[in-house]
Amino acid sequence: MKKEITLAIIKPNATEKKATGKIIDMILEAGFEIKAMKMLHLTKKEAEGFYEVHKDKPFFNDLTDFMSSGPIVVMALEKENAVEDYRKLIGATNPAEAAEGTVRKLFGENIERNAVHGSDSPENGIKEVGYFFSNLEFVN
Ligand code: CMP
C-alpha cells in the first residue's frame, strides 16, 4: 500500500493539560513517522484560514477563537493508510462518542475542545500540511 501524509494538530486544550508528550508517544507507538513538526500560537486570522471550509458553519467563530487561544503542535505524519489509521487512533470527533483508548476519549472534553485534529482525506492531508509547512521543514 502507498504511503500517505496526514496533518495532525494537538489543540490548545491538550497542550494546556500537558498531554503533548503522551499524544506524540501514542502517534509514534502506532507506527507513524513524524516528517515535520512545530509549535505555534495561531492568530485568529490564521485559524480562520486553516478552517476556511467550515466558514459557514455555526461553530466557526467559537472554533477559531479556541484554536487561537493557546499553543498548538502541528505535525506532518507519514504511514501507509495514514489518514484512516490516524482517524482510528484519535477516535470520533465528539469525545463522548470516541472509542475507549483513543486520543479524543482520553484527552478531549467536548466536540470543540476535542484535543486533536486529523485530515479527512489524502487530498486534504497534502493541502493541510502545505498550510503549515514549507518543503525546507520536512525531514527526508
Ligand atoms: P477538527 O478535526 O479539528 O475539524 C473541525 C472541527 O470543528 C472539529 O474537529 C471540531 O472540533 C469542530 N466541530 C465539528 N462539529 C462541531 C459542532 N457541531 N460544534 C462545535 N464544534 C464542532
Side-chain angles (χ1 to χ4, degrees):
M1 201 185 267
K2 205 172 143 280
K3 287 202 174 176
E4 281 174 3
I5 284 273
T6 193
L7 183 83
I9 304 180
I10 303 178
K11 297 189 178 186
N13 67 307
T15 61
E16 190 186 358
K17 63 169 81 157
K18 305 192 192 325
T20 303
K22 291 176 196 121
I23 294 171
I24 292 173
D25 250 0
M26 288 175 77
I27 288 169
L28 293 173
E29 287 294 320
F32 293 88
E33 221 182 303
I34 301 173
K35 303 300 283 187
M37 173 161 77
K38 62 187 165 190
M39 191 171 218
L40 301 165
H41 188 149
L42 297 179
T43 61
K44 174 85 170 164
K45 281 252 165 317
E46 288 164 345
E48 286 171 352
F50 179 70
Y51 281 116
E52 214 202 328
V53 287
H54 295 304
K55 69 176 187 306
D56 296 326
K57 305 265 173 63
F59 56 83
F60 182 69
N61 189 48
D62 282 352
L63 174 66
T64 52
D65 272 350
F66 165 59
M67 289 302 289
S68 56
S69 70
I72 62 169
V73 175
V74 289
M75 286 171 274
L77 305 179
E78 189 179 74
K79 188 184 179 296
E80 286 180 359
N81 209 33
V83 170
E84 204 184 312
D85 286 0
Y86 179 71
R87 289 173 76 79
K88 271 192 203 135
L89 178 72
I90 64 178
T93 306
N94 187 347
E97 289 158 18
E100 288 301 326
T102 58
V103 177
R104 282 170 170 158
K105 184 73 176 184
L106 289 166
F107 304 110
E109 290 150 44
N110 55 46
I111 196 161
E112 182 178 286
R113 298 170 67 86
N114 64 351
V116 282
H117 166 81
S119 309
D120 63 4
S121 67
E123 298 71 39
N124 280 340
I126 292 164
K127 203 170 134 197
E128 291 181 356
V129 162
Y131 188 79
F132 287 110
F133 296 104
S134 70
N135 282 345
L136 268 176
E137 294 174 290
F138 268 77
V139 174
N140 285 308

